[in-house]
Amino acid sequence: MNLHEFQAKQLLAQYGVAVPAGEVCSTPEQARDIAQKLFSHGEKMVVVKSQIHAGGRGKGTFKSGFQGGVKLCKTAEDVFEKAKAMIGQVLVTKQTGADGRLVSRLLVAAAPVIKKEIYLAVLLDRDSSRPLIMASTEGGVDIEEVAAHTPEKILKEIIDPVVGIMPYQARKLANALGFKGDLIGHATKMILGVYKTWWETDASMLEINPLCIIEGPDGKESLLAVDAKMSLDDNALYRHKNLQEMRDLGEEAPLEIEASKFSLNYIKLDGNIACLVNGAGLAMATMDIIQHFGGNPANFLDVGGGASKEQVTAAFKIILSDPNVKGILVNIFGGIMQCDIIATGIVAAVKETNLTLPLVVRLEGNNVALGKKILQESGLAVISADSMADGAKKVVQAVNH
Amino acid sequence: MAILVNPSTKVLIQGITGSFGARHTQLSLAYGSQVVAGVTPGKGGQLFENKVPIFDTVSEAAKSSGATVSAIFVPPPFAADAILEAVDAELDLVICITEGIPVIDMVRVKRALQGRKTRLIGPNCPGLVTPGEGKDSHGGCRIGIAPGYIHKKGNIGVVSRSGTLTYEAVWQLTCRGVGQSTCVGIGGDPVNGTSHLDIIKLFNDDPETHGIIMIGEIGGSAEEEAAEWIQKNCKKPIAGFIAGTSAPPGRRMGHAGAIVSGGKGTAAAKIDAFRAAGIGIAETPSVMAETLLKMM
């Protein structure tokens, strides 16, 4: 589950990580009030940030034509105007796809003068099966670019999960990042706090980019987490009631939400050949083989090991809600499941949804002969396939006709 | 010989009275596997299906029954605890079928396994099968949730992160009259107990395994790690398939570990690594067996 920037910052602040003063709001009036408060506390500049689950907001464009999902403002009136142009509008960034995302909330926050930008992240290191802290002096830019071109600028510290993070590990990073004097202490505290946030919330990824050195009115330097990106381990949400409430259904594809109600694992893609498969690996491989034979998969869909009649019917309805779909490939390896039961489910689903699109079915496994017979005798125009390759070829051909 | 388990291996089931655990215990018994004990805290002293004794703790079950292997079917919040209980009982092998265990739980389990004798397979895996000599491979050792009858006793090792793709490969072999030594599902989670490489090494040392099918998928770099070792050390022909060529980056494709993130873990990189190691590439999942048989 992904979190919004403002939610990540709320969590970070709870673990003692310094974040810019600010609040989230959903109307231009509220945005103006928050800005007024910040200006009255002596802030010179305030930033208005669209809250969506996608990066590239600053360089994004609203469908209304308004440029930029992140705006710096010098007056509360300006904040009001910018907020008015953003709230309720759809923002398109390089990560949202052409559909963009509706901006319903803004983060209005202090925007201090930044002296230097750092990158800091915590994630799972799959090679060592341990938590990994990644840091770089090259903050504020795409870290994948840094990793690709100047990998020596990425610092890594692996944490022993039994011991937990030790302060020396944070100091080592602070030192390697070039911090001096008081800032070593600030950075150490910040790294410890960010790690603790990651660990205690069961996060998958927590990225502070940029982490900024700023200069206060007294000329003293300090550190602030200016932007934050965070995702949580779905498998651990059961033990975090407070985090479950942070789920924003508005950010999820409606069909994916519908699918999750039936314990179906569905991911919408851009193609026109839908697939319905049991098992995640086989579902991925089915998409691959459709592509291999010149087709374009419309979705990933794993109906799981059980695949009841209700689930299969729900799966068909979800697939058919995608207007791009021009054909369907059902690929079931009925290892434990009986193919005749699955075939009965398919027949019922086809009838209930009044399916008119070409449907190719590949059944294999338990009671496969009976399963195929049920499909044949149903009177439905089901195209039967003998193997995955046969099924993929047939559905691609049917769609291209 | 096969690897890890053979038809006389004694197995206990943690979570034997849950509906999922019970169903698959019945199937394993019907397949002829030696399921000798079950564990459900609070139900010690009862019998499963009137024949398999149930115990309150794993150590008690292992001591009384002589089981050396455990299969875990307990729900995700209790799975890490169940794994470590089996490790504490000093079993040789623990196979965790449970899907949906928090990653941090597995990070801690993996650390706690260091220096212990127990090998963990999974979690989020179909388990393993060493086929038997009877009809439809009856009499073999089936631990987990794989369909037993699709197997046939023989000399091909199969290792995969995915359950259904394992079945697909096994079935392709069996339909061509080619049997398997052992088929192992290592699971689809980002942190697991046994890697592709661990299994490949066992197959390489097993005189009864003459060829290997290795099935990988996007995410992580376990396939690349295995390929590097294979290039230098493996004496046996291997055919490989990588699932997820068509998967969009940044999305989890069903398995918690199946995700391309930060440009890492792509199917293309894994296929390149396979090719460089001399592994035969199955261009589609339909030709996994065919690809291997052509090499042998």
Side-chain angles (χ1 to χ4, degrees), chain A residues 28-330:
Chain A
E29 290 76 14
Q30 289 168 344
R32 178 169 54 200
D33 292 348
I34 298 164
Q36 262 164 2
K37 226 188 307 177
L38 291 168
F39 285 121
S40 72
H41 282 103
E43 296 297 341
K44 300 276 184 288
M45 195 81 91
V46 162
V47 66
V48 183
K49 305 176 89 173
S50 302
Q51 298 296 291
I52 57 169
H53 288 179
R57 295 170 298 173
K59 288 181 182 147
T61 305
F62 286 89
K63 284 194 171 168
S64 62
F66 187 76
Q67 290 288 324
V70 176
K71 288 286 181 189
L72 281 167
C73 303
K74 284 183 181 153
T75 67
E77 256 338 285
D78 195 18
V79 167
F80 177 80
E81 292 302 327
K82 297 294 189 297
K84 219 168 129 182
M86 295 186 201
I87 288 177
Q89 299 296 324
V90 173
L91 178 60
V92 179
T93 80
K94 61 177 184 182
Q95 288 185 11
T96 60
D99 289 346
R101 297 281 172 85
L102 176 69
V103 174
S104 50
R105 278 178 292 196
L106 301 172
L107 176 63
V108 180
V113 178
I114 292 166
K115 293 192 68 178
K116 186 168 171 44
E117 295 183 318
I118 305 284
Y119 175 91
L120 178 66
V122 189
L123 62 158
L124 170 75
D125 176 46
R126 290 178 64 159
D127 292 337
S128 65
S129 298
R130 293 183 182 199
L132 168 71
I133 302 181
M134 251 170 53
S136 174
T137 51
E138 307 301 295
V141 294
D142 188 350
I143 198 67
E144 288 170 27
E145 292 289 312
V146 180
H149 299 114
T150 49
E152 71 281 2
K153 288 187 173 166
I154 293 183
L155 307 166
K156 292 181 177 179
E157 188 71 22
I158 287 176
I159 309 301
D160 183 324
V162 171
V163 182
I165 187 170
M166 295 303 282
Y168 82 85
Q169 295 180 295
R171 285 199 303 276
K172 203 164 101 183
L173 285 168
N175 180 263
L177 287 167
F179 288 110
K180 301 281 181 218
D182 287 350
L183 283 183
I184 292 204
H186 284 298
T188 302
K189 183 172 176 254
M190 180 157 267
I191 292 166
L192 291 172
V194 170
Y195 180 80
K196 200 172 180 205
T197 310
W198 183 86
W199 179 266
E200 293 194 2
T201 59
D202 274 296
S204 314
M205 203 271 301
L206 174 52
E207 185 181 68
I208 315 292
N209 190 22
L211 164 66
C212 296
I213 303 178
I214 56 144
E215 195 176 271
D218 53 0
K220 273 197 176 167
E221 289 182 337
S222 62
L223 295 174
L224 272 182
V226 168
D227 199 359
K229 204 170 146 190
M230 187 170 183
S231 60
L232 305 173
D233 178 2
D234 292 332
N235 290 342
L237 279 174
Y238 74 88
R239 58 189 176 202
H240 300 287
K241 293 276 181 284
N242 59 323
L243 301 179
Q244 287 169 22
E245 287 161 13
M246 291 185 171
R247 182 171 178 190
D248 183 353
L249 291 174
E251 286 286 335
E252 297 174 28
L255 286 178
E256 292 176 17
I257 297 169
E258 184 65 18
S260 67
K261 289 179 193 162
F262 294 92
S263 305
L264 301 168
N265 206 331
Y266 171 86
I267 296 172
K268 190 183 172 314
L269 303 170
D270 298 331
N272 58 5
I273 298 176
C275 39
L276 187 163
V277 190
N278 67 326
L282 195 63
M284 247 189 293
T286 304
M287 287 163 44
D288 294 345
I289 201 167
I290 289 171
Q291 198 174 61
H292 181 85
F293 288 111
N296 203 351
N299 65 276
F300 168 94
L301 175 55
D302 171 14
V303 295
S308 65
K309 187 183 139 199
E310 288 70 28
Q311 275 183 312
V312 173
T313 308
F316 268 94
K317 283 182 182 165
I318 286 160
I319 284 173
L320 294 172
S321 314
D322 175 356
N324 296 330
V325 169
K326 299 285 176 274
I328 302 172
L329 173 60
V330 173

